[in-house]
Amino acid sequence: MVRNIMLKCACSEKTGPTLLFERFTVEGKRTGRKFFACSSCRDRNDCPFFQWADEQIPHHVQQKRKKHAEIANTLNLSSETIHEQLKRLLSLPCHKRIFCKTCFLLVLPKEFGNHKDHEILERLSDKILMQPSYLLPTLPKNKKEAQYFFDEKTVAFVISTVISLGFKRILSIGTPRIHEYIKTNKTTDLQSLLLDIDKRYAHFYESSEFCYYNMFNHFFFDGETAEATYKNFLLKDDENSLLVMLDPPFGGLVDVISHTLKKIFNTWRNGRCDTSADLPFFWFFPYFNEARIQQCLPSLNMLDYKVNYDNHRLFNGSVKGRKQGSPVRIFTNIKLEKIKLPEEDGYRFCPLCKKYVAPENEHCNICNTCPSKDGRPYKHCNDCNRCVKNSRQHCDTCGQCMLPNHECGVVSRAGRCHICGALGHKRRECPNKDDYSAPRKKKKLQ
């Protein structure tokens, strides 16, 4: 499912090679039939590409895709042209620097006539040019780019943690705010290389600072030149000073992202004399993916720190945000006891768990853990022999902890197997899945 194939989709100039997936029925029954789809877009309205792996592509479809790719190539500026434009603009005084918000382009004075009816920004300082995430309009597709940015408090915590742990270099994958902080704050000696699928960053950074990149298929759009920049940064011999940061879209497949991280790790390890060392990671992702992440990458553990975003309606840490706070956490292979969470926000060190925990996360001496994951306090239920949310009460009729106003005998299927209704497994692993059959609707080839 996680192999990247050099079969290009309708938006291949923006996302690179497709991925090979396998289809399941709604009930979890495995069909065994595989297909190619866009590596980045999770909505067919954004990229309608679909190709069965066992069917030959019709000639007229091949011609249509080829024509689309040729048109896209003629519309795209080369990286060399973009970087030359940036150099010319930086040589100008601030009052002559212009950015067109309509075209997302830096504009030289002689080109202003082509943009006079557009929405423009003038008098661009060096600092704002090094912080394009504050300058560029956010990409709107939630099932494509899903472009959300860390708030200032999160950035400050991450940077202070990086410094306290002794890292000098950060491979910033989809974390532009971290990259921008390092570029604009000369008080630190940190270095950063930004890998991101938003090509607009190429207008603001040199090729040694930014690579146009898709994390879902580990694809570099500028070919060998960009890949060489990435490898040189990754393999620099400086005594384990590198940390990899990754902030994927929340709907990204854990298996695919894990596959990319393994590729990065293998490249790093193969370039070293000491092959026993581990490459440190910070993976920002919602807490409810913990089990799947640890299944794919057992060395990763979850911090209690709640990661907030400036432009997310709910995950922003404000009173108007999610009641339990942001669900996004940091997964890392660094020992959790080494990472100090901010005590001014109520985080404290649990000597029994040997890690910092959230204010609501009280240690359970029976379970021998701090059980809360979602930002709510938990309590131990002796009948269930596990910790449950404070809002639940044990129901002898149902044989488990339920909400006080529940209807006995009507059990929610949330968190249960969709086939047999049992806890502890999903439909794919259900022992009864082979006994359940459902008609499969045929989908028209697009």
Side-chain angles (χ1 to χ4, degrees):
M1 184 179 70
V2 296
R3 286 191 295 151
N4 55 312
I5 309 296
M6 290 305 292
L7 182 64
K8 294 186 176 181
C9 61
C11 61
S12 61
E13 299 305 319
K14 295 181 180 179
T15 61
T18 57
L19 292 179
L20 181 64
F21 297 88
E22 184 173 358
R23 174 156 288 184
F24 290 77
T25 65
V26 175
E27 297 76 23
K29 194 174 180 65
R30 198 168 187 164
T31 67
R33 197 169 189 193
K34 298 178 180 179
F35 63 93
F36 297 103
C38 181
S39 61
S40 183
C41 302
R42 303 187 301 282
D43 192 328
R44 290 281 176 82
N45 292 324
D46 295 326
C47 180
F49 184 91
F50 181 91
Q51 175 65 50
W52 289 115
D54 56 1
E55 286 185 355
Q56 188 173 2
I57 306 174
H59 179 71
H60 72 279
V61 175
Q62 292 184 37
Q63 293 299 112
K64 184 178 180 180
R65 292 174 184 169
K66 183 178 179 181
K67 185 176 180 180
H68 185 280
E70 289 173 350
I71 293 173
N73 279 328
T74 60
L75 296 175
N76 285 333
L77 294 173
S78 68
S79 296
E80 290 77 11
T81 302
I82 291 172
H83 294 145
E84 186 61 33
Q85 187 94 335
L86 176 62
K87 288 180 181 178
R88 291 178 182 175
L89 196 84
L90 290 174
S91 66
L92 297 174
C94 291
H95 68 275
K96 290 187 177 182
R97 298 173 181 174
I98 301 169
F99 174 74
C100 178
K101 296 183 71 173
T102 304
C103 302
F104 306 144
L105 289 174
L106 293 171
V107 179
L108 295 171
K110 65 179 181 180
E111 300 168 342
F112 179 71
N114 299 327
H115 303 268
K116 62 181 180 180
D117 296 326
H118 296 176
E119 184 181 359
I120 63 170
L121 289 176
E122 299 180 273
R123 299 181 178 276
L124 303 176
S125 65
D126 289 346
K127 184 175 182 179
I128 194 62
L129 286 175
M130 288 190 287
Q131 295 179 305
S133 71
Y134 292 93
L135 181 65
L136 294 168
T138 304
L139 297 176
K141 295 291 185 180
N142 203 37
K143 290 190 176 181
K144 189 178 179 183
E145 295 92 0
Q147 200 169 43
Y148 298 108
F149 302 112
F150 298 148
D151 68 3
E152 291 184 2
K153 198 171 185 178
T154 296
V155 171
F157 164 72
V158 171
I159 293 295
S160 64
T161 301
V162 168
I163 295 173
S164 66
L165 292 172
F167 295 109
K168 301 294 184 183
R169 297 182 300 115
I170 300 176
L171 184 64
S172 306
I173 307 176
T175 58
R177 285 281 167 90
I178 300 296
H179 182 74
E180 291 171 1
Y181 183 94
I182 294 171
K183 294 294 296 179
T184 55
N185 286 269
K186 303 302 182 182
T187 55
T188 70
D189 57 354
L190 293 174
Q191 299 176 33
S192 173
L193 173 65
L194 176 63
L195 309 184
D196 202 284
I197 200 167
D198 188 350
K199 190 179 182 179
R200 298 176 299 173
Y201 289 123
H203 292 272
F204 300 88
Y205 296 122
E206 298 285 348
S207 56
S208 60
E209 301 169 332
F210 169 74
C211 294
Y212 183 25
Y213 171 81
N214 185 348
M215 71 176 74
F216 291 109
N217 53 17
H218 193 56
F219 183 75
F220 292 86
F221 293 89
D222 291 326
E224 294 181 359
T225 303
E227 195 163 0
T229 299
Y230 149 76
K231 287 183 176 178
N232 289 337
F233 188 85
L234 186 72
L235 302 177
K236 187 176 179 180
D237 186 16
D238 52 4
E239 297 298 325
N240 301 325
S241 70
L242 175 67
L243 174 69
V244 177
M245 285 190 189
L246 183 80
D247 187 25
F250 304 144
L253 292 174
V254 171
D255 304 60
V256 176
I257 301 166
S258 300
H259 190 64
T260 294
L261 286 176
K262 289 174 183 176
K263 281 187 173 182
I264 295 172
F265 174 72
N266 289 334
T267 301
W268 177 80
R269 173 169 280 182
N270 291 337
R272 295 173 54 85
C273 298
D274 179 14
T275 57
S276 62
D278 285 330
L279 177 60
F281 288 110
F282 272 9
W283 178 354
F284 301 84
F285 222 49
Y287 72 86
F288 45 78
N289 290 285
E290 180 184 21
R292 188 60 184 152
I293 288 175
Q294 290 185 332
Q295 184 179 357
C296 295
L297 295 170
S299 64
L300 298 189
N301 293 300
M302 188 177 78
L303 286 169
D304 269 17
Y305 186 79
K306 297 169 186 175
V307 179
N308 291 322
Y309 295 82
D310 260 350
N311 57 329
H312 197 288
R313 184 173 61 88
L314 297 177
F315 307 165
N316 54 30
S318 71
V319 292
K320 294 183 179 180
R322 184 173 175 266
K323 184 179 179 181
Q324 294 81 31
S326 171
V328 181
R329 305 288 186 265
I330 302 174
F331 293 86
T332 181
N333 54 356
I334 300 170
K335 288 184 178 181
L336 300 189
E337 61 188 283
K338 293 183 177 181
I339 302 175
K340 183 179 180 180
L341 304 188
E343 294 178 351
E344 62 271 20
D345 293 332
Y347 295 100
R348 68 188 187 284
F349 187 77
C350 175
L352 298 174
C353 292
K354 294 183 178 180
K355 65 175 182 178
Y356 278 82
V357 296
E360 70 280 351
N361 206 354
E362 295 289 341
H363 189 86
C364 174
N365 293 320
I366 301 173
C367 296
N368 195 29
T369 186
C370 291
S372 178
K373 306 284 186 183
D374 62 356
R376 283 177 278 200
Y378 275 50
K379 63 184 179 182
H380 190 85
C381 174
N382 292 321
D383 294 311
C384 293
N385 195 30
R386 65 187 178 95
C387 289
V388 298
K389 297 169 187 173
N390 276 358
S391 58
R392 303 296 175 106
Q393 295 178 2
H394 192 83
C395 175
D396 293 329
T397 303
C398 296
Q400 60 181 304
C401 286
M402 305 289 289
L403 289 170
N405 58 350
H406 79 283
E407 184 180 348
C408 291
V410 181
V411 182
S412 171
R413 298 181 66 85
R416 294 174 174 271
C417 172
H418 293 177
I419 296 176
C420 69
L423 290 165
H425 67 267
K426 294 185 178 180
R427 59 177 181 255
R428 293 185 183 182
E429 291 83 29
C430 181
N432 301 323
K433 68 178 182 178
D434 292 332
D435 297 330
Y436 188 96
S437 60
R440 191 177 78 215
K441 293 182 180 179
K442 292 185 178 180
K443 290 220 171 184
K444 186 178 179 182
L445 178 67
Q446 294 185 20

